Amino acid sequence: MVMNGATMEVGAVAAMRYVTDGIRAARLVMQHTEHTMLVGEKASSFAISMGLPGPTNLSSTESMRKWIKWKENRCQPNFRKNVLHIDSCGPYHPKDKADLGGRTYLMDSLVGTIVSKSSHAGLHNHDTISMAVFDKMGHIAVGTSTNGATFKIPGRVGDGPIAGSSAYADDEVGACGATGDGDIMMRFLPCYQVVESMRLGLEPKLAAKEAISRIARKYPEFVGAVFAVNKNGVHAGACHGWTFQYSVRGPGMNDVEVFTVLP
């Protein structure tokens, strides 16, 4: 996902196969279509038709090794819940069903307390990169790219391509980027909240902390982090469930500076 903070244009791709450069594909969506997001095989076809290399086999020796080990471990973890299975690798069927008036309804608890799950998000199971860039005119752009969570259910789309969740920018205010348990974080649009909090006058540190705290109040076991930067270049981060690091490089700096944020 990429976003232009001057025009509020967004380009995104999701569930895209056979193309290595997802962020360039997202930029092509933003620059050359009137859409915001393309998904699946047609997103791949679009990216290739616009000049990106492909189709390409994206499997690597390491990814195949992980997949084989996962199969040997009875397909665990697999992000499924409230299911019955023939064996550990499926097929899967919903459990606790009741037939009401000829229709089948899941007896999920839709009212009451949220049951916490052990998060699969961590330092070594995803590869999210979220970035904010300011040009000399003060215009802001953000971008997020990821392969998504390891061992996700086929078809899963996380927060990476969702504007307001993985990243958000507005030239008038500033920008935000996020990483972590995208399935949880996308329910709260934390980066949209960060930017809007800064619009209302909060400093980046408080805006970031409030966005993370709002998620943690509902999901105390979630793992995630955000960085916030206002239009004046003041930046900060906030995290929950891990120690988060982000890097900054500005005019006159010979190298990036890494900032560590404690939960």
Side-chain angles (χ1 to χ4, degrees):
M1 185 275 285
V2 293
M3 183 173 185
N4 182 334
T7 64
M8 310 306 286
E9 291 175 294
V10 173
V13 292
M16 187 177 69
R17 304 174 67 186
Y18 311 123
V19 176
T20 60
D21 199 337
I23 200 73
R24 287 186 64 193
R27 187 178 182 185
L28 289 170
V29 172
M30 183 178 71
Q31 292 181 324
H32 299 291
T33 81
E34 295 183 1
H35 301 310
T36 293
M37 183 186 296
L38 299 179
V39 303
E41 301 284 345
K42 296 304 181 181
S44 303
S45 298
F46 169 79
I48 293 169
S49 74
M50 296 299 291
L52 295 189
T56 303
N57 181 2
L58 302 183
S59 297
S60 65
T61 301
E62 180 181 2
S63 67
M64 291 300 298
R65 178 184 59 79
K66 287 182 178 179
W67 181 79
I68 292 171
K69 185 176 180 180
W70 178 71
K71 293 282 285 187
E72 292 174 347
N73 193 42
R74 300 179 294 115
C75 301
Q76 300 298 318
N78 62 21
F79 287 93
R80 297 181 186 269
K81 66 179 183 180
N82 300 326
V83 295
L84 299 171
H85 49 81
I86 303 300
D87 60 46
S88 295
C89 291
Y92 304 92
H93 304 285
K95 68 178 181 181
D96 298 329
K97 295 191 299 184
D99 187 83
L100 301 175
R103 291 187 176 183
T104 299
Y105 293 84
L106 294 183
M107 299 299 289
D108 258 344
S109 176
L110 299 179
V111 179
T113 59
I114 297 172
V115 178
S116 297
K117 71 179 182 66
S118 59
S119 176
H120 301 302
L123 294 175
H124 305 295
N125 76 335
H126 67 96
D127 54 359
T128 304
I129 298 173
S130 191
M131 183 180 298
V133 179
F134 291 64
D135 70 11
K136 294 180 179 180
M137 300 297 293
H139 299 310
I140 310 171
V142 292
T144 301
S145 181
T146 181
N147 279 328
T150 306
F151 311 128
K152 58 184 176 287
I153 297 172
R156 179 259 190 184
V157 174
D159 69 330
I162 308 301
S165 186
S166 72
Y168 199 73
D170 187 333
D171 280 9
E172 298 177 356
V173 183
C176 169
T179 186
D181 189 341
D183 289 294
I184 298 299
M185 297 180 76
M186 68 193 298
R187 303 169 191 177
F188 294 83
L189 296 179
C191 277
Y192 178 79
Q193 180 184 340
V194 165
V195 172
E196 291 308 301
S197 293
M198 291 192 297
R199 190 190 307 276
L200 294 175
L202 266 65
E203 289 297 310
K205 183 175 182 179
L206 291 177
K209 287 183 66 175
E210 174 54 30
I212 289 296
S213 296
R214 184 166 64 110
I215 304 172
R217 286 193 291 269
K218 293 286 188 180
Y219 293 93
E221 295 183 5
F222 103 98
V223 175
V226 298
F227 70 81
V229 55
N230 67 20
K231 63 181 181 180
N232 299 317
V234 178
H235 58 83
C239 59
H240 184 83
W242 61 4
T243 297
F244 172 60
Q245 291 184 313
Y246 68 97
S247 60
V248 175
R249 184 169 184 176
M253 299 174 64
N254 294 323
D255 202 352
V256 300
E257 183 175 357
V258 177
F259 293 83
T260 299
V261 182
L262 300 177

